[in-house]
Amino acid sequence: MLGLRRSPPWDSVTYWALDVETTGLDARRDTLLAVGMVPVRRGAIALGDAWSSLVRPAGPLAIPVATMRAHHILPGDLEDAPGAAAVLAGVTRRLHGSVAIVHHAAIDVAFLKAACRAAGLDWPRIPVVDTVDLLWRRARRRRYATGDAPRDPELNLASARRALDLPAYPAHDATTDAIATAELFLVLRHLLGARTLREVTS
């Protein structure tokens, strides 16, 4: 685990932006279908090292029609995918000694932790940057600086990017959403003027 007592410069560590696709939003009952990851090194996104995988379910799986319409993952697409243990081993290996970036940790990290428990794997004890938290932090700072009436930030990934003039990407693809999250992180880090790891993780 990276020590935070003496916080290093924010760009001196490796981050992995990640996203998951699932059958629903409840990590206690829904199933992990895909994971996408992209590293951020020395303050830049390393697209060439992006990694993703579908996840073969342990047994028969019924994917809700609305979910299939969103991410276009069909049950047949998963038949030849690696099982959860193999995929999660790839995820945790990349995260070891790094920092995770997610958009809404309460969903993505919860699913990965639950899947690790089910597979008998340990989730790494690493710092996590949640871009939703950074959006709230920026909104509070702007309210304090301007004295404007409170206005909640756009928290949907696509909406948050649009509000910051970032390009629109197709949604509900794990790799694309991981890249979108990495870009959002870099913009928010700049807007917040964060200089250390502690400033982006707390």
Side-chain angles (χ1 to χ4, degrees):
M1 177 179 177
L2 290 169
L4 297 182
R5 186 166 296 175
R6 297 180 61 186
S7 189
W10 78 272
D11 57 355
S12 66
V13 300
T14 296
Y15 301 81
W16 279 92
L18 62 88
D19 182 75
V20 301
E21 297 300 329
T22 65
T23 58
L25 298 178
D26 189 341
R28 295 168 298 180
R29 69 179 186 215
D30 291 313
T31 302
L32 185 67
L33 300 178
V35 181
M37 303 177 71
V38 64
V40 178
R41 302 189 182 101
R42 294 177 292 279
I45 300 170
L47 287 175
D49 291 329
W51 176 85
S52 65
S53 180
L54 295 172
V55 182
R56 188 182 71 249
L61 178 66
I63 304 176
V65 173
T67 303
M68 289 189 284
R69 287 175 179 160
H71 54 47
H72 305 293
I73 297 173
L74 305 177
D77 298 332
L78 307 174
E79 291 176 358
D80 296 325
V87 175
L88 293 165
V91 172
T92 57
R93 183 174 65 252
R94 287 167 173 81
L95 289 177
H96 182 73
S98 301
V99 179
I101 306 172
V102 296
H103 189 76
H104 210 317
I107 295 177
D108 293 68
V109 174
F111 265 97
L112 290 169
K113 285 183 175 180
C116 280
R117 283 194 299 271
L121 299 172
D122 292 326
W123 176 253
R125 297 181 62 191
I126 58 170
V128 175
V129 177
D130 190 341
T131 47
V132 168
D133 289 342
L134 297 183
L135 287 165
W136 277 112
R137 194 181 309 174
R138 179 171 181 260
R140 288 192 296 268
R141 183 174 295 185
R142 294 179 74 188
R143 291 170 191 166
Y144 179 80
T146 65
D148 291 341
R151 181 178 178 184
D152 290 345
E154 295 282 358
L155 298 182
N156 171 271
L157 179 58
S159 300
R161 288 174 56 86
R162 186 165 53 248
L164 293 171
D165 295 322
L166 287 167
Y169 293 156
H172 301 298
D173 173 83
T175 305
T176 303
D177 284 350
I179 294 167
T181 298
E183 291 178 349
L184 180 61
F185 161 69
L186 291 175
V187 170
L188 290 170
R189 196 289 315 170
H190 174 74
L191 293 173
L192 291 166
R195 297 182 180 181
T196 67
L197 177 60
R198 181 179 291 116
E199 290 177 282
V200 295
T201 56
S202 60

